[in-house]
Amino acid sequence: MPLKKATVFLNPAACKGKAGNLFEKNAAPILHLSGLDVTVVKTDYEGQAKKLLELMESTDLIIIAGGDGTVQEVITGLLRRADEAAFSKIPIGFIPLGKTCTLSHTLYPESTSRVQHITNATLAILKGETVPLDVLQIKGEKEQPVFAVSGLRWGAYRDAGVKASKYWYLGPLKTQAAHFFSTFKDWPQKHQAALMYVGPTERPPEEPDEKSRPPFIVRLYRRLIAFLSSPKGSSQEVAPEDWEELKLSTIELSIATRNRQLDLARTEDFMDICIEAESVSKGQFIQRGSQKMRDPHICPEGIQYIQASRCILQLPEGTEGSFGIDNEEYEAMPVEVKLLPRKLQFFCDPRMREQMLQAAVQQEFMAQGQSPP
């Protein structure tokens, strides 16, 4: 059999320039010994991975070696391709080498050391178990769309968090210092916008594997029956009456996928929109800011929470500041955010996948009023 081709996108600048060495010592030997035909592509500057993905020829699997920024660049380049429908079916591996590696919490169990975490992730890729992850398509008025697997943040917590590294000389107090000095600005820090959104969509049944698919004539018959039974003139476009509109004034807005709390048994597809009240004391702001540095999309009690499959965020003219999209900074502008449910297949540790499947079975039994086995 021909060797499977694996294309690795390595960001050597991740983890303050240590990523290249971490990859060569801990992940590369495992990949080369696995029998894969491995091609390592090193990125030299920000945004290069997007361009390289547009030119990439066929490969059997894609491996992202870096942090959140590298993941966001690679999936954006992948999903901007003209043939993205075919390329999005290529399984993706993630080797966590960056400062922030949000997907690690979903794909791999906690490890006692960084080296163990990297080797466990590499071995999980070779074991071949995958889980489907949602993707957010974020499109401005003129720019090409950007894609994210975690989400978008806009507000005072994000702005303070990105400045924490400036106070490195304060050691473990740098996060509190960044949020403390942020309170010297106009208070409360209001972010005003208009939000239009559509509620969750029903999840269609999963397509069977190629091996277990029924014969072509049976599939054709089923499609014909489905077509004849569907209402005439039905459209994929959202009807105007389905849109909800909301004026908001918030200290922070976040739009996040459900990948962090992956539920394989969910019957609806949606993203989480969290709108935090602007009436927060300075002490609460500093305390919550530290929590959000550990989990950026945490939604504290008392916030407005919306489930949506699509939304449009309109900002007042002259709005300044930045969005954080998968921890990468983008200019704040009016955007449309669309959920692409189960768009990409990511390799994960078999133990994590087993936990998700067990949780799905338990939920199904509970929904039927039975106790799980």
Side-chain angles (χ1 to χ4, degrees), residues 106-343:
T106 300
L107 302 176
Y108 313 118
E110 295 296 326
S111 300
T112 54
S113 71
R114 177 158 213 152
V115 169
Q116 185 185 13
H117 201 51
I118 293 169
T119 54
N120 284 347
T122 311
L123 289 169
I125 294 169
L126 302 178
K127 289 172 184 175
E129 298 281 352
T130 62
V131 287
L133 296 188
D134 295 345
V135 175
L136 298 184
Q137 176 185 283
I138 303 165
K139 193 173 188 314
E141 294 174 342
K142 299 177 182 177
E143 303 292 326
Q144 281 188 293
V146 170
F147 297 87
V149 288
S150 295
L152 175 150
R153 292 177 66 202
W154 175 55
Y157 291 111
R158 190 217 74 90
D159 294 345
V162 296
K163 294 177 181 175
S165 59
K166 291 173 60 177
Y167 303 99
W168 58 269
Y169 50 85
L170 295 176
L173 296 176
K174 63 183 179 183
T175 299
Q176 290 92 329
H179 289 82
F180 171 72
F181 289 120
S182 178
T183 62
F184 290 179
K185 299 177 182 178
D186 294 337
W187 193 264
Q189 295 180 25
K190 298 180 182 179
H191 292 71
Q192 296 179 323
L195 180 73
M196 294 176 63
Y197 64 93
V198 181
T201 57
E202 188 176 348
R203 170 172 287 186
E206 285 201 48
E207 293 182 8
D209 295 335
E210 286 291 329
K211 294 178 183 177
S212 60
R213 293 179 79 186
F216 172 74
I217 190 69
V218 175
R219 302 200 309 270
L220 184 63
Y221 172 75
R222 288 176 180 173
R223 288 180 186 175
L224 182 61
I225 293 297
F227 173 76
L228 293 175
S229 61
S230 63
K232 301 298 180 185
S234 62
S235 170
Q236 294 293 326
E237 286 300 313
V238 181
E241 60 269 19
D242 291 337
W243 288 94
E244 305 265 352
E245 188 166 358
L246 180 69
K247 299 286 184 183
L248 57 92
S249 181
T250 176
I251 193 166
E252 180 149 299
L253 168 78
S254 72
I255 305 171
T257 65
R258 300 285 297 177
N259 291 335
R260 186 70 185 266
Q261 305 90 19
L262 202 57
D263 181 1
L264 300 181
R266 203 166 70 226
T267 56
E268 290 185 321
D269 289 311
F270 55 86
M271 51 193 175
D272 294 331
I273 303 176
C274 291
I275 304 166
E276 299 197 38
E278 60 192 39
S279 55
V280 177
S281 70
K282 294 185 177 182
Q284 287 175 320
F285 178 77
I286 296 168
Q287 183 183 9
R288 284 186 189 171
S290 298
Q291 294 172 343
K292 283 180 172 285
M293 288 293 285
R294 294 189 291 272
D295 184 359
H297 294 285
I298 189 172
C299 288
E301 292 183 8
I303 54 93
Q304 188 172 1
Y305 169 66
I306 297 169
Q307 294 178 344
S309 58
R310 186 173 166 190
C311 71
I312 296 172
L313 184 65
Q314 291 286 354
L315 307 185
E317 194 170 340
T319 299
E320 298 179 351
S322 300
F323 292 146
I325 300 177
D326 278 7
N327 291 313
E328 291 292 293
E329 195 163 291
Y330 288 84
E331 179 188 351
M333 64 177 70
V335 291
E336 179 183 7
V337 184
K338 184 179 179 182
L339 179 71
L340 307 178
R342 300 183 296 175
K343 182 66 176 174

Side-chain angles (χ1 to χ4, degrees), residues 12-41:
C15 194
K16 299 180 180 179
K18 299 175 184 175
N21 192 40
L22 286 169
F23 175 80
E24 293 298 336
K25 282 189 173 182
N26 305 297
I30 298 173
L31 291 175
H32 289 298
L33 287 169
S34 68
L36 291 172
D37 177 12
V38 181
T39 301
V40 179
V41 180

